[in-house]
Amino acid sequence: MSEETETGPTLSLHVPEPAVRPGDTPDFSNVTIARAGQVPRPPVDVAPDDIRDMAFSIIRVLNRDAVAVGPWAGLLSAEELREGLKHMMTLRAFDARMMIAQRQGKTSFYMQNLGEEAIACAFQKALSPGDMNFPTYRQAGLLIAAGYPLVDMMNQIYSNEKDPLKGRQLPIMYSSRDHGFYSISGNLATQFIQAVGWGMASAIKGDSKISAAWIGDGSTAESDFHAGLVFASTYKAPVVLNIVNNQWAISTFQGIARGGSGTFAARGLGFGIPSLRVDGNDYLAVYAVAKWAIERARRNLGPTLIEHVTYRVGGHSTSDDPAAYRPKTESDAWPLGDPVMRLKNHLIELGEWSDERHTQAEAQIRDEIITAQKEAEKHGTLHSGQHPSVRDMFEGVYAEMPPHLRRQRQQAGY
Amino acid sequence: MTRRTMIEAIRDAMDVSMERDDDVVVFGEDVGFFGGVFRCTAGLQKKYGPSRCFDTPISEAGIVGAAIGMAGYGLRPCVEIQFADYVYPAYDQIVSEAARIRYRSNGQFTASMVVRMPTGGGIFGGQTHSQSPEALFTHVAGLKTVVPSNPYDAKGLLIAAIEDDDPVIFLEPKRLYNGPFDGYHDRPVKPWSSSELGEVPDGHYTVPLGKAKVVREGKAVTMLSYGTMVHVSLAAAEAAGVDAEIIDLRTLVPLDLETIRQSVLKTGRCVVVHEATLTSGFGAELAALVQDECFFHLEAPVRRVAGWDTPYPHAQEWDYFPGPDRIGRALQEVLEV
């Protein structure tokens, strides 16, 4: 019972808490899941008002029997699905190998994509060459699905002499203009509005390329996210606005950033932006929704907001221990399953894959990763071998080195 | 050659740049149809269309963030922040993103862009329309910071800034928009049409970034200043009857240290003048550099004249603004040593 004051009952602050904590039984009863195939597929030029309910449902294609069902199915051939599976398996194997490398002291830091592989891998397949992603730190699948060399990724992680970024960036903060991957920033949400600006530039120049913005559920609390939405809405920018809701922002559950709103996708409704939720662990669903949104952007129909509903199986980074703030078995209880297993089972169901082929593929991918790792480590790791020159440290701050930096470079002995 | 105000010169710089290069785009709050609250962009939307000069939502982070994305595509945005006092919501985008994108991506992405903003006091703008935040930008690796003091330089420096491949912070002393200002607030302001510095050539020309200008030669003391304070320093030296050499820095980063060094080696004395608050202001950097370069030639300690370390007041503006009297006292002090 609250006490009375002269102006009424005493107030108390509401601080949201997740349903369970370590030691409790995992509980995802709050995650409402539509049946696969249930959500309709509107035409891309649909009026945003007519699909407002899609911000509260979840588009799913693969059902519990690994069958692709409903209006969002049927876009990918068996060959494309096998390629998608290979991308996800490669990313998972890459993560596992680099996690060990970090534990072995070969680099300072690593962030894995475990459980979220379908999102970036499927989205990239829906883009065209020349389009530009403005990713966060958990979309390495964009690079793998775009064919970026694994050795270059590792060279960057090791900050070795072949690091394309000359040892200036944290590990996993990749950058490749040629592969449509804008340089990652550690400052959250800044890239969201930049993606909108890139899309606006393409429109200003009468180009046909589009951009994709990426953000995590936690970072939607940043003001730059809202700046991105208002600019995208105002100028009908050709951009796909992706929110990856993996339930956790380091130790903070998604309810803190989401506040009282129904879903993250619903944030787009106030801006008149078509907003959809998709099963982020369903490769086929992510691809289908990405294709829909990308076509909208390409046809000058403006932005689309997509909330990818998924679960961060691993820690936030190698510096994080999720057992301290959530039940250890929570990831096993995640109701949308594992993206690799779901696509594998679908291909088997189609008669296009088998357990034997899967085991064989795993071994082959592992060999590719080990070969790439050996090649990268020939050029050094963070604490061994050759590094980019200290001279490089002074380059590229400006297009041309100004006199004061030249003096400092000389003082440093280079 | 035409006599122009600084507003007209700045507008002309954008006009010339947009005419020469289709990749130059101009946007900001009230910048499009209306032409900006100071009218610096008046007529540009009509001439170049709304996709090259347009209004934006009131979101400084949005303006600068979108510009960074556009620069990443290959455009050359020249954006306006309505007052320098309002740049702080965009500070993260400028400092963490624009300034570093070339470096962290090893040149794969760049932010060739200009962020224009009216700066400084003297128009009864109070604490929210009078600040001089240049030191916040000069401290950041990867940014260039420019402060013009007259219409000719403003046009030439702005064209150079737009053509520059690095992000440039372009601070426009709003007190100088319509005429030079000598710091005597009780006298009528002279218009630029009565000043030789209002002579602005038509068409394209640049004033290179990183080159200071000796605006008055002298032997007794070197005065280092920029923006509005160049004119106040001139008036102060005149009133004090001091044979001062006055340098208009024009660009704070990159800084023309050689011109400063040569002058101080000649005079042996140095007074630094700026409007921004004293503590950790750019004057501290200048004083340290002069000490580094010229210590054994100095006849007196370097003195700084600056705004007081308070928020910019409204009613007491003229006691805050470094005027000729305060500068004159500093000159006398260094000459008496």
Side-chain angles (χ1 to χ4, degrees):
Chain A
M1 283 292 286
S2 59
E3 292 177 19
E4 287 289 320
T5 70
E6 279 182 20
T7 49
T10 52
L11 299 166
S12 63
L13 183 68
H14 169 68
V15 181
E17 267 293 315
V20 293
R21 282 299 193 189
D24 297 337
T25 306
D27 177 14
F28 286 110
S29 58
N30 59 329
V31 181
T32 311
I33 298 171
R35 277 190 297 112
Q38 192 183 35
V39 178
R41 185 178 192 277
V44 292
D45 57 355
V46 66
D49 272 356
D50 292 347
I51 57 166
R52 288 176 69 86
D53 58 339
M54 293 184 82
F56 301 95
S57 189
I58 297 185
I59 297 164
R60 304 177 65 226
V61 172
L62 291 174
N63 69 13
R64 284 182 185 177
D65 300 323
V67 179
V69 293
W72 296 87
L75 298 182
L76 289 161
S77 68
E79 187 52 43
E80 288 169 321
L81 290 173
R82 275 194 297 268
E83 189 189 36
L85 182 64
K86 187 188 174 198
H87 290 153
M88 289 199 287
M89 290 169 73
T90 303
L91 178 55
R92 186 164 290 189
F94 184 92
D95 273 347
R97 202 78 198 165
M98 290 296 101
M99 285 290 286
I100 294 168
Q102 191 275 339
R103 299 300 188 212
Q104 291 170 333
K106 292 175 179 172
T107 188
S108 58
F109 176 80
Y110 190 73
M111 301 178 93
Q112 58 177 341
N113 305 264
L114 191 61
E116 302 177 40
E117 292 91 343
I119 297 166
C121 290
F123 194 91
Q124 182 64 60
K125 287 308 291 177
L127 288 171
S128 300
D131 293 339
M132 187 63 69
N133 286 292
F134 286 71
T136 76
Y137 43 72
R138 224 180 293 281
Q139 279 89 42
L142 294 171
L143 283 174
I144 285 180
Y148 187 67
L150 300 177
V151 177
D152 285 348
M153 291 173 76
M154 290 175 179
N155 288 335
Q156 204 275 313
I157 290 164
Y158 288 146
S159 291
N160 65 19
E161 63 175 344
K162 292 281 185 185
D163 175 2
L165 307 181
K166 306 274 188 191
R168 297 166 182 164
Q169 262 283 37
L170 270 176
I172 68 94
M173 295 206 176
Y174 313 105
S175 177
S176 177
R177 189 185 185 101
D178 293 344
H179 295 80
F181 196 94
Y182 192 79
S183 156
I184 293 179
S185 175
N187 290 49
L188 300 177
T190 48
Q191 76 285 353
F192 210 73
I193 172 68
Q194 292 166 7
V196 177
W198 197 100
M200 290 170 68
S202 182
I204 288 168
K205 295 303 283 183
D207 200 346
S208 60
K209 301 186 186 84
I210 64 121
S211 58
W214 294 88
I215 199 167
D217 51 279
S219 313
T220 60
E222 294 277 9
S223 57
D224 291 29
F225 168 71
H226 301 88
L229 288 184
V230 71
F231 272 66
S233 169
T234 299
Y235 303 108
K236 295 197 188 309
V239 57
V240 181
L241 305 161
N242 294 289
I243 301 171
V244 179
N245 175 5
N246 68 9
Q247 314 297 317
W248 292 96
I250 307 188
S251 72
T252 305
F253 90 115
Q254 51 118 352
I256 291 282
R258 183 167 47 79
S261 82
T263 64
F264 287 100
R267 298 278 169 90
L269 298 180
F271 294 90
I273 297 173
S275 304
L276 304 85
R277 293 178 93 217
V278 63
D279 176 349
N281 290 20
D282 179 343
Y283 186 94
L284 284 79
V286 172
Y287 178 84
V289 172
K291 201 83 184 154
W292 189 89
I294 288 164
E295 189 185 339
R296 271 183 50 77
R298 197 90 69 199
R299 284 177 52 183
N300 217 25
L301 294 165
T304 304
L305 188 148
I306 303 173
E307 177 185 346
H308 303 260
V309 182
T310 186
Y311 185 85
R312 193 197 77 209
V313 175
H316 168 72
S317 71
T318 44
S319 309
D320 177 38
D321 173 18
Y325 51 81
R326 67 186 191 190
K328 274 185 179 166
T329 55
E330 191 176 80
S331 65
D332 300 332
W334 175 243
L336 295 173
D338 176 89
V340 174
M341 293 311 290
R342 285 175 72 189
L343 185 52
K344 173 195 166 192
N345 291 339
H346 177 57
L347 277 162
I348 290 173
E349 193 274 333
L350 287 177
E352 296 285 348
W353 199 242
S354 65
D355 282 323
E356 294 73 38
R357 287 180 74 178
H358 195 79
T359 307
Q360 200 177 7
E362 273 180 335
Q364 192 185 339
I365 288 167
R366 194 166 53 243
D367 285 349
E368 282 172 24
I369 302 279
I370 290 171
T371 305
Q373 189 180 15
K374 282 182 180 161
E375 170 68 19
E377 290 184 6
K378 271 199 288 189
H379 303 295
T381 65
L382 182 60
H383 299 298
S384 70
Q386 293 297 306
H387 295 105
S389 165
V390 174
R391 191 183 173 87
D392 286 331
M393 184 175 84
F394 293 91
E395 299 284 347
V397 182
Y398 296 91
E400 286 177 30
M401 193 177 293
H404 70 282
L405 262 189
R406 186 163 289 114
R407 276 196 304 276
Q408 290 174 23
R409 191 190 72 200
Q410 287 161 357
Q411 284 167 15
Y414 291 87
Chain B
M1 192 78 86
T2 315
R3 289 268 167 104
R4 295 177 214 260
T5 66
M6 200 145 133
I7 292 169
E8 291 163 342
I10 287 165
R11 182 190 306 145
D12 196 30
M14 287 184 272
D15 191 358
V16 166
S17 300
M18 292 174 89
E19 178 111 38
R20 283 166 62 94
D21 184 354
D22 287 345
D23 288 339
V24 178
V25 291
V26 168
F27 55 94
E29 293 155 17
D30 299 306
V31 159
F33 184 82
F34 180 54
V37 289
F38 288 102
R39 317 310 316 282
C40 285
T41 57
L44 296 179
Q45 184 176 76
K46 197 168 180 189
K47 185 168 177 185
Y48 296 101
S51 68
R52 292 191 59 204
C53 176
F54 54 89
D55 294 320
T56 64
I58 301 173
S59 169
E60 287 78 13
I63 293 166
V64 174
I68 292 168
M70 288 185 195
Y73 177 91
L75 300 187
R76 286 184 177 269
C78 176
V79 302
E80 179 176 301
I81 300 295
Q82 205 157 70
F83 285 89
D85 312 66
Y86 302 156
V87 77
Y88 307 114
Y91 197 59
D92 188 30
Q93 288 285 352
I94 294 173
V95 172
S96 310
E97 306 299 327
R100 292 191 214 151
I101 185 64
R102 174 190 299 281
Y103 190 72
R104 75 174 196 231
S105 71
N106 193 27
Q108 291 174 5
F109 300 97
T110 56
S112 307
M113 55 187 280
V114 180
V115 184
R116 294 178 39 240
M117 57 190 100
T119 188
I123 61 158
F124 286 103
Q127 55 168 332
T128 55
H129 300 77
S130 306
Q131 293 170 58
S132 300
E134 63 271 17
L136 298 177
F137 299 109
T138 60
H139 189 56
V140 178
L143 296 178
K144 292 179 177 173
T145 302
V146 178
V147 192
S149 71
N150 61 72
Y152 176 92
D153 282 359
K155 178 176 172 184
L157 287 166
L158 183 52
I159 293 174
I162 291 169
E163 293 174 357
D164 198 274
D165 289 333
D166 294 313
V168 180
I169 305 298
F170 198 85
L171 292 153
E172 300 165 3
K174 64 178 89 70
R175 194 65 182 76
L176 302 181
Y177 269 157
N178 289 305
F181 174 62
D182 55 15
Y184 294 107
H185 62 280
D186 49 353
R187 297 182 192 171
V189 175
K190 287 182 290 184
W192 283 115
S193 57
S194 66
S195 163
E196 282 181 14
L197 293 168
E199 294 281 355
V200 177
D202 296 329
H204 180 272
Y205 70 94
T206 58
V207 173
L209 307 187
K211 292 276 177 241
K213 182 181 175 188
V214 178
V215 295
R216 182 188 200 260
E217 294 198 358
K219 296 191 180 66
V221 54
T222 298
M223 298 177 74
L224 302 178
S225 62
Y226 49 91
T228 306
M229 283 300 140
V230 172
H231 304 279
V232 184
S233 295
L234 279 162
E238 207 65 47
V242 172
D243 184 22
E245 179 143 297
I246 300 178
I247 297 175
D248 177 357
L249 298 175
R250 298 201 285 206
T251 313
L252 307 187
V253 176
L255 183 69
D256 185 356
L257 184 57
E258 192 49 33
T259 297
I260 296 171
R261 205 176 67 88
Q262 281 178 12
S263 178
V264 178
L265 291 182
K266 180 174 75 175
T267 64
R269 291 177 165 85
C270 183
V271 171
V272 178
V273 188
H274 63 60
E275 259 187 90
T277 47
L278 179 76
T279 301
S280 302
F282 192 68
E285 178 65 27
L286 292 170
L289 284 169
V290 168
Q291 188 273 142
D292 270 354
E293 297 284 322
C294 312
F295 183 77
F296 293 107
H297 297 266
L298 285 173
E299 306 285 342
V302 178
R303 286 299 308 269
R304 291 177 289 159
V305 185
W308 308 117
D309 286 342
T310 71
Y312 207 108
H314 183 229
Q316 305 91 342
E317 175 164 279
W318 298 112
D319 294 299
Y320 181 90
F321 202 85
D325 291 348
R326 268 168 66 193
I327 299 169
R329 283 200 295 278
L331 287 172
Q332 291 304 332
E333 282 168 17
V334 297
L335 289 170
E336 283 166 9
V337 173

PDB file of all heavy atoms in Angstrom, chain B residues 129-152:
ATOM      1  N   HIS B 129      23.231  31.422 -28.020  1.00  0.00           N
ATOM      2  CA  HIS B 129      23.483  31.864 -29.399  1.00  0.00           C
ATOM      3  C   HIS B 129      24.802  32.629 -29.500  1.00  0.00           C
ATOM      4  O   HIS B 129      24.958  33.497 -30.353  1.00  0.00           O
ATOM      5  CB  HIS B 129      22.354  32.773 -29.904  1.00  0.00           C
ATOM      6  CG  HIS B 129      21.006  32.133 -29.922  1.00  0.00           C
ATOM      7  ND1 HIS B 129      20.253  31.946 -28.789  1.00  0.00           N
ATOM      8  CD2 HIS B 129      20.278  31.615 -30.943  1.00  0.00           C
ATOM      9  CE1 HIS B 129      19.103  31.368 -29.116  1.00  0.00           C
ATOM     10  NE2 HIS B 129      19.110  31.145 -30.398  1.00  0.00           N
ATOM     11  N   SER B 130      25.763  32.329 -28.641  1.00  0.00           N
ATOM     12  CA  SER B 130      26.980  33.152 -28.596  1.00  0.00           C
ATOM     13  C   SER B 130      28.265  32.369 -28.432  1.00  0.00           C
ATOM     14  O   SER B 130      29.335  32.970 -28.400  1.00  0.00           O
ATOM     15  CB  SER B 130      26.886  34.132 -27.410  1.00  0.00           C
ATOM     16  OG  SER B 130      25.702  34.887 -27.473  1.00  0.00           O
ATOM     17  N   GLN B 131      28.167  31.046 -28.325  1.00  0.00           N
ATOM     18  CA  GLN B 131      29.367  30.303 -27.947  1.00  0.00           C
ATOM     19  C   GLN B 131      30.383  30.186 -29.081  1.00  0.00           C
ATOM     20  O   GLN B 131      30.040  30.258 -30.251  1.00  0.00           O
ATOM     21  CB  GLN B 131      28.980  28.889 -27.490  1.00  0.00           C
ATOM     22  CG  GLN B 131      28.188  28.869 -26.209  1.00  0.00           C
ATOM     23  CD  GLN B 131      27.622  27.486 -25.932  1.00  0.00           C
ATOM     24  OE1 GLN B 131      28.348  26.518 -25.830  1.00  0.00           O
ATOM     25  NE2 GLN B 131      26.315  27.398 -25.828  1.00  0.00           N
ATOM     26  N   SER B 132      31.633  29.968 -28.663  1.00  0.00           N
ATOM     27  CA  SER B 132      32.747  29.768 -29.597  1.00  0.00           C
ATOM     28  C   SER B 132      33.387  28.415 -29.285  1.00  0.00           C
ATOM     29  O   SER B 132      34.304  28.332 -28.484  1.00  0.00           O
ATOM     30  CB  SER B 132      33.784  30.888 -29.429  1.00  0.00           C
ATOM     31  OG  SER B 132      33.206  32.142 -29.695  1.00  0.00           O
ATOM     32  N   PRO B 133      32.884  27.333 -29.889  1.00  0.00           N
ATOM     33  CA  PRO B 133      33.329  25.993 -29.487  1.00  0.00           C
ATOM     34  C   PRO B 133      34.532  25.466 -30.255  1.00  0.00           C
ATOM     35  O   PRO B 133      34.761  24.256 -30.275  1.00  0.00           O
ATOM     36  CB  PRO B 133      32.089  25.139 -29.786  1.00  0.00           C
ATOM     37  CG  PRO B 133      31.472  25.794 -30.978  1.00  0.00           C
ATOM     38  CD  PRO B 133      31.776  27.271 -30.864  1.00  0.00           C
ATOM     39  N   GLU B 134      35.348  26.356 -30.869  1.00  0.00           N
ATOM     40  CA  GLU B 134      36.392  25.852 -31.767  1.00  0.00           C
ATOM     41  C   GLU B 134      37.359  24.867 -31.102  1.00  0.00           C
ATOM     42  O   GLU B 134      37.804  23.900 -31.729  1.00  0.00           O
ATOM     43  CB  GLU B 134      37.172  27.005 -32.412  1.00  0.00           C
ATOM     44  CG  GLU B 134      37.945  27.914 -31.466  1.00  0.00           C
ATOM     45  CD  GLU B 134      37.113  29.085 -30.957  1.00  0.00           C
ATOM     46  OE1 GLU B 134      35.872  29.022 -31.073  1.00  0.00           O
ATOM     47  OE2 GLU B 134      37.689  30.045 -30.428  1.00  0.00           O
ATOM     48  N   ALA B 135      37.663  25.101 -29.811  1.00  0.00           N
ATOM     49  CA  ALA B 135      38.648  24.222 -29.168  1.00  0.00           C
ATOM     50  C   ALA B 135      38.140  22.786 -29.059  1.00  0.00           C
ATOM     51  O   ALA B 135      38.934  21.843 -29.040  1.00  0.00           O
ATOM     52  CB  ALA B 135      39.014  24.747 -27.784  1.00  0.00           C
ATOM     53  N   LEU B 136      36.813  22.625 -29.008  1.00  0.00           N
ATOM     54  CA  LEU B 136      36.256  21.264 -28.947  1.00  0.00           C
ATOM     55  C   LEU B 136      36.553  20.506 -30.229  1.00  0.00           C
ATOM     56  O   LEU B 136      36.603  19.283 -30.238  1.00  0.00           O
ATOM     57  CB  LEU B 136      34.747  21.319 -28.723  1.00  0.00           C
ATOM     58  CG  LEU B 136      34.295  21.970 -27.418  1.00  0.00           C
ATOM     59  CD1 LEU B 136      32.777  22.014 -27.356  1.00  0.00           C
ATOM     60  CD2 LEU B 136      34.842  21.209 -26.232  1.00  0.00           C
ATOM     61  N   PHE B 137      36.715  21.226 -31.321  1.00  0.00           N
ATOM     62  CA  PHE B 137      36.984  20.582 -32.610  1.00  0.00           C
ATOM     63  C   PHE B 137      38.480  20.487 -32.905  1.00  0.00           C
ATOM     64  O   PHE B 137      38.929  19.513 -33.488  1.00  0.00           O
ATOM     65  CB  PHE B 137      36.262  21.341 -33.732  1.00  0.00           C
ATOM     66  CG  PHE B 137      34.770  21.354 -33.553  1.00  0.00           C
ATOM     67  CD1 PHE B 137      34.088  22.505 -33.211  1.00  0.00           C
ATOM     68  CD2 PHE B 137      34.041  20.182 -33.699  1.00  0.00           C
ATOM     69  CE1 PHE B 137      32.721  22.504 -33.024  1.00  0.00           C
ATOM     70  CE2 PHE B 137      32.663  20.160 -33.515  1.00  0.00           C
ATOM     71  CZ  PHE B 137      32.002  21.331 -33.176  1.00  0.00           C
ATOM     72  N   THR B 138      39.241  21.509 -32.490  1.00  0.00           N
ATOM     73  CA  THR B 138      40.686  21.455 -32.774  1.00  0.00           C
ATOM     74  C   THR B 138      41.346  20.326 -32.006  1.00  0.00           C
ATOM     75  O   THR B 138      42.409  19.855 -32.384  1.00  0.00           O
ATOM     76  CB  THR B 138      41.385  22.781 -32.420  1.00  0.00           C
ATOM     77  OG1 THR B 138      41.197  23.051 -31.020  1.00  0.00           O
ATOM     78  CG2 THR B 138      40.834  23.933 -33.231  1.00  0.00           C
ATOM     79  N   HIS B 139      40.712  19.864 -30.949  1.00  0.00           N
ATOM     80  CA  HIS B 139      41.272  18.783 -30.132  1.00  0.00           C
ATOM     81  C   HIS B 139      41.112  17.417 -30.805  1.00  0.00           C
ATOM     82  O   HIS B 139      41.704  16.440 -30.361  1.00  0.00           O
ATOM     83  CB  HIS B 139      40.551  18.776 -28.772  1.00  0.00           C
ATOM     84  CG  HIS B 139      41.164  17.868 -27.753  1.00  0.00           C
ATOM     85  ND1 HIS B 139      42.478  17.961 -27.363  1.00  0.00           N
ATOM     86  CD2 HIS B 139      40.653  16.833 -27.060  1.00  0.00           C
ATOM     87  CE1 HIS B 139      42.736  17.031 -26.458  1.00  0.00           C
ATOM     88  NE2 HIS B 139      41.653  16.329 -26.267  1.00  0.00           N
ATOM     89  N   VAL B 140      40.325  17.362 -31.870  1.00  0.00           N
ATOM     90  CA  VAL B 140      39.952  16.067 -32.455  1.00  0.00           C
ATOM     91  C   VAL B 140      40.789  15.762 -33.694  1.00  0.00           C
ATOM     92  O   VAL B 140      40.753  16.518 -34.669  1.00  0.00           O
ATOM     93  CB  VAL B 140      38.451  16.078 -32.833  1.00  0.00           C
ATOM     94  CG1 VAL B 140      38.060  14.762 -33.480  1.00  0.00           C
ATOM     95  CG2 VAL B 140      37.605  16.357 -31.610  1.00  0.00           C
ATOM     96  N   ALA B 141      41.523  14.654 -33.634  1.00  0.00           N
ATOM     97  CA  ALA B 141      42.331  14.248 -34.787  1.00  0.00           C
ATOM     98  C   ALA B 141      41.425  13.912 -35.959  1.00  0.00           C
ATOM     99  O   ALA B 141      40.444  13.193 -35.796  1.00  0.00           O
ATOM    100  CB  ALA B 141      43.182  13.042 -34.415  1.00  0.00           C
ATOM    101  N   GLY B 142      41.743  14.458 -37.117  1.00  0.00           N
ATOM    102  CA  GLY B 142      40.982  14.151 -38.324  1.00  0.00           C
ATOM    103  C   GLY B 142      40.094  15.288 -38.802  1.00  0.00           C
ATOM    104  O   GLY B 142      39.588  15.240 -39.916  1.00  0.00           O
ATOM    105  N   LEU B 143      39.897  16.286 -37.948  1.00  0.00           N
ATOM    106  CA  LEU B 143      39.085  17.440 -38.346  1.00  0.00           C
ATOM    107  C   LEU B 143      39.979  18.607 -38.725  1.00  0.00           C
ATOM    108  O   LEU B 143      41.066  18.767 -38.176  1.00  0.00           O
ATOM    109  CB  LEU B 143      38.179  17.901 -37.201  1.00  0.00           C
ATOM    110  CG  LEU B 143      37.105  16.947 -36.695  1.00  0.00           C
ATOM    111  CD1 LEU B 143      36.360  17.599 -35.530  1.00  0.00           C
ATOM    112  CD2 LEU B 143      36.144  16.577 -37.812  1.00  0.00           C
ATOM    113  N   LYS B 144      39.487  19.441 -39.629  1.00  0.00           N
ATOM    114  CA  LYS B 144      40.109  20.743 -39.881  1.00  0.00           C
ATOM    115  C   LYS B 144      39.146  21.812 -39.373  1.00  0.00           C
ATOM    116  O   LYS B 144      37.931  21.629 -39.449  1.00  0.00           O
ATOM    117  CB  LYS B 144      40.396  20.924 -41.369  1.00  0.00           C
ATOM    118  CG  LYS B 144      41.491  19.974 -41.867  1.00  0.00           C
ATOM    119  CD  LYS B 144      41.756  20.121 -43.346  1.00  0.00           C
ATOM    120  CE  LYS B 144      42.916  19.208 -43.755  1.00  0.00           C
ATOM    121  NZ  LYS B 144      43.101  19.198 -45.221  1.00  0.00           N
ATOM    122  N   THR B 145      39.691  22.889 -38.841  1.00  0.00           N
ATOM    123  CA  THR B 145      38.849  23.929 -38.254  1.00  0.00           C
ATOM    124  C   THR B 145      39.237  25.295 -38.820  1.00  0.00           C
ATOM    125  O   THR B 145      40.408  25.673 -38.757  1.00  0.00           O
ATOM    126  CB  THR B 145      38.972  23.917 -36.716  1.00  0.00           C
ATOM    127  OG1 THR B 145      38.599  22.633 -36.241  1.00  0.00           O
ATOM    128  CG2 THR B 145      38.073  24.957 -36.083  1.00  0.00           C
ATOM    129  N   VAL B 146      38.252  25.977 -39.370  1.00  0.00           N
ATOM    130  CA  VAL B 146      38.483  27.232 -40.090  1.00  0.00           C
ATOM    131  C   VAL B 146      37.612  28.326 -39.479  1.00  0.00           C
ATOM    132  O   VAL B 146      36.445  28.079 -39.152  1.00  0.00           O
ATOM    133  CB  VAL B 146      38.115  27.055 -41.585  1.00  0.00           C
ATOM    134  CG1 VAL B 146      38.287  28.351 -42.357  1.00  0.00           C
ATOM    135  CG2 VAL B 146      38.948  25.947 -42.218  1.00  0.00           C
ATOM    136  N   VAL B 147      38.186  29.534 -39.321  1.00  0.00           N
ATOM    137  CA  VAL B 147      37.409  30.682 -38.835  1.00  0.00           C
ATOM    138  C   VAL B 147      37.794  31.908 -39.668  1.00  0.00           C
ATOM    139  O   VAL B 147      38.862  32.483 -39.464  1.00  0.00           O
ATOM    140  CB  VAL B 147      37.690  30.984 -37.338  1.00  0.00           C
ATOM    141  CG1 VAL B 147      36.650  31.986 -36.801  1.00  0.00           C
ATOM    142  CG2 VAL B 147      37.696  29.731 -36.489  1.00  0.00           C
ATOM    143  N   PRO B 148      36.954  32.308 -40.622  1.00  0.00           N
ATOM    144  CA  PRO B 148      37.297  33.476 -41.439  1.00  0.00           C
ATOM    145  C   PRO B 148      37.017  34.783 -40.700  1.00  0.00           C
ATOM    146  O   PRO B 148      36.212  34.817 -39.774  1.00  0.00           O
ATOM    147  CB  PRO B 148      36.371  33.336 -42.649  1.00  0.00           C
ATOM    148  CG  PRO B 148      35.175  32.631 -42.110  1.00  0.00           C
ATOM    149  CD  PRO B 148      35.665  31.718 -41.012  1.00  0.00           C
ATOM    150  N   SER B 149      37.677  35.855 -41.155  1.00  0.00           N
ATOM    151  CA  SER B 149      37.464  37.152 -40.499  1.00  0.00           C
ATOM    152  C   SER B 149      36.945  38.225 -41.445  1.00  0.00           C
ATOM    153  O   SER B 149      36.715  39.346 -41.021  1.00  0.00           O
ATOM    154  CB  SER B 149      38.780  37.645 -39.875  1.00  0.00           C
ATOM    155  OG  SER B 149      39.678  38.040 -40.904  1.00  0.00           O
ATOM    156  N   ASN B 150      36.779  37.898 -42.725  1.00  0.00           N
ATOM    157  CA  ASN B 150      36.310  38.921 -43.673  1.00  0.00           C
ATOM    158  C   ASN B 150      35.684  38.242 -44.893  1.00  0.00           C
ATOM    159  O   ASN B 150      35.888  37.035 -45.107  1.00  0.00           O
ATOM    160  CB  ASN B 150      37.462  39.844 -44.097  1.00  0.00           C
ATOM    161  CG  ASN B 150      38.562  39.053 -44.789  1.00  0.00           C
ATOM    162  OD1 ASN B 150      38.399  38.607 -45.917  1.00  0.00           O
ATOM    163  ND2 ASN B 150      39.685  38.840 -44.091  1.00  0.00           N
ATOM    164  N   PRO B 151      34.938  38.974 -45.693  1.00  0.00           N
ATOM    165  CA  PRO B 151      34.227  38.349 -46.819  1.00  0.00           C
ATOM    166  C   PRO B 151      35.155  37.680 -47.842  1.00  0.00           C
ATOM    167  O   PRO B 151      34.859  36.575 -48.306  1.00  0.00           O
ATOM    168  CB  PRO B 151      33.468  39.527 -47.453  1.00  0.00           C
ATOM    169  CG  PRO B 151      33.241  40.466 -46.323  1.00  0.00           C
ATOM    170  CD  PRO B 151      34.488  40.371 -45.488  1.00  0.00           C
ATOM    171  N   TYR B 152      36.277  38.321 -48.167  1.00  0.00           N
ATOM    172  CA  TYR B 152      37.173  37.723 -49.165  1.00  0.00           C
ATOM    173  C   TYR B 152      37.650  36.353 -48.689  1.00  0.00           C
ATOM    174  O   TYR B 152      37.573  35.354 -49.413  1.00  0.00           O
ATOM    175  CB  TYR B 152      38.377  38.648 -49.418  1.00  0.00           C
ATOM    176  CG  TYR B 152      39.385  38.038 -50.371  1.00  0.00           C
ATOM    177  CD1 TYR B 152      39.297  38.287 -51.742  1.00  0.00           C
ATOM    178  CD2 TYR B 152      40.401  37.200 -49.917  1.00  0.00           C
ATOM    179  CE1 TYR B 152      40.195  37.711 -52.634  1.00  0.00           C
ATOM    180  CE2 TYR B 152      41.296  36.616 -50.792  1.00  0.00           C
ATOM    181  CZ  TYR B 152      41.187  36.875 -52.152  1.00  0.00           C
ATOM    182  OH  TYR B 152      42.080  36.296 -53.031  1.00  0.00           O
TER     183      TYR B 152
END
